[in-house]
Amino acid sequence: GENVEQHPSTLSVQEGDSAVIKCTYSDSASNYFPWYKQELGKGPQLIIDIRSNVGEKKDQRIAVTLNKTAKHFSLHITETQPEDSAVYFCAASMPSYDKVIFGPGTSLSVIP
Amino acid sequence: NAGVTQTPKFQVLKTGQSMTLQCAQDMNHNSMYWYRQDPGMGLRLIYYSASEGTTDKGEVPNGYNVSRLNKREFSLRLESAAPSQTSVYFCASSRRAVSRTGELFFGEGSRLTVL
C-alpha cells in the first residue's frame, strides 16, 4: 500500500521567513496530493492540493511543488506569520481507491 | 451549518469496556471516514464508507467495527477497549471520492483514554 514520509517533524522559523516541508510517497500510481493544516484542538483543514498533471500550484503565500519522477512533493510558506503556527500534514491518494494516506505531520512554530 | 459533528468529545474507559463514537454530517456528503491520530504517526485510516451501504477497512481496522447508519451518520465501535486504542479519533466526510480531489471535512475530534 501507499506510504507517505514527511520531514522535518518540527520546524521553527522567525516571523517573515520562509518555511519548507518535504514529503515523499511510495506508490507511483498516486495522483492527488493534498496538504492539511491542524490548529490546536481542532480537526485538520485543507489548505492546498495538487494533482499529478501539475508541477506547481500557488495560493497567496503558500505553494506546493510536485516531482513525480522522484516521488517528492513540498509545501512552501513565504512571509510566515504567527497564525501559520500549526501542524501540517501532507497526504497522497490513488485513483484506484477512495482513501487518503497521511504523512506523520510537521509541527511549525513561527516566532514573532 | 454544523459540518461534521462528533460525540462524545472526551471519554475514559476501562480495559475491556465497549463504546461507540458517533459522527454526523449535514453537508449531504457521500463518503465518510474514521481516522485515529497518535503522536508522531499522523492520521491513520481505520475504516471508511465510500457511499451509503458500503464500508471498507483502512490501514488499522483491528479492534474496531463501523456502521453507516444512513447517508448522514457513520459510527465507530470499540467492542473490547485496549490501552493501545488510547488516541484522538477524527471523523471526516467528502462530497465525492477523495481520489478525485474530494476535500475531506473533519470533525473536532474525540479524545479517548483507555485505562
Side-chain angles (χ1 to χ4, degrees), chain A residues 6-13 17-23 35 61 63-65 73-80 88 106-108 110:
Chain A
Q6 184 172 349
H7 300 280
S9 57
T10 60
L11 179 60
S12 290
V13 298
D17 287 350
S18 295
V20 179
I21 302 170
K22 298 183 178 183
C23 291
W35 287 85
R61 295 187 296 108
V64 58
T65 59
F73 58 116
S74 300
L75 178 72
H76 304 251
I77 306 174
T78 59
E79 301 172 20
T80 54
Y88 292 81
T106 296
S107 178
L108 173 65
V110 179

Side-chain angles (χ1 to χ4, degrees), chain A residues 1-57:
Chain A
E2 176 64 280
N3 183 52
V4 178
E5 297 185 354
Q6 184 172 349
H7 300 280
S9 57
T10 60
L11 179 60
S12 290
V13 298
Q14 293 288 332
E15 182 177 357
D17 287 350
S18 295
V20 179
I21 302 170
K22 298 183 178 183
C23 291
T24 61
Y25 60 98
S26 60
D27 197 318
S28 57
S30 291
N31 70 340
Y32 170 59
F33 307 93
W35 287 85
Y36 284 79
K37 175 183 179 182
Q38 184 180 29
E39 296 178 345
L40 196 62
K42 296 189 176 181
Q45 195 167 15
L46 180 72
I47 55 171
I48 195 168
D49 56 15
I50 191 168
R51 298 193 69 179
S52 59
N53 58 349
V54 176
E56 183 174 359
K57 183 177 178 180

Side-chain angles (χ1 to χ4, degrees), chain A residues 2 31-32 36 38 41-46 49 51 87 89 93-105, chain B residues 31 33 35 37 40-43 45 48 50 57-59 90 94 96-104 106-108:
Chain A
E2 176 64 280
N31 70 340
Y32 170 59
Y36 284 79
Q38 184 180 29
K42 296 189 176 181
Q45 195 167 15
L46 180 72
D49 56 15
R51 298 193 69 179
V87 177
F89 294 98
S93 179
M94 294 191 288
S96 58
Y97 63 94
D98 184 27
K99 46 190 176 182
V100 171
I101 303 300
F102 285 83
Chain B
S31 302
Y33 310 81
Y35 285 88
Q37 183 175 22
M41 305 197 71
L43 294 152
L45 183 64
Y48 67 105
K57 296 179 180 179
E59 303 166 85
F90 286 97
S94 64
R96 58 181 183 272
V98 289
S99 57
R100 295 180 175 84
T101 68
E103 177 180 354
L104 284 169
F106 285 86
E108 296 209 328

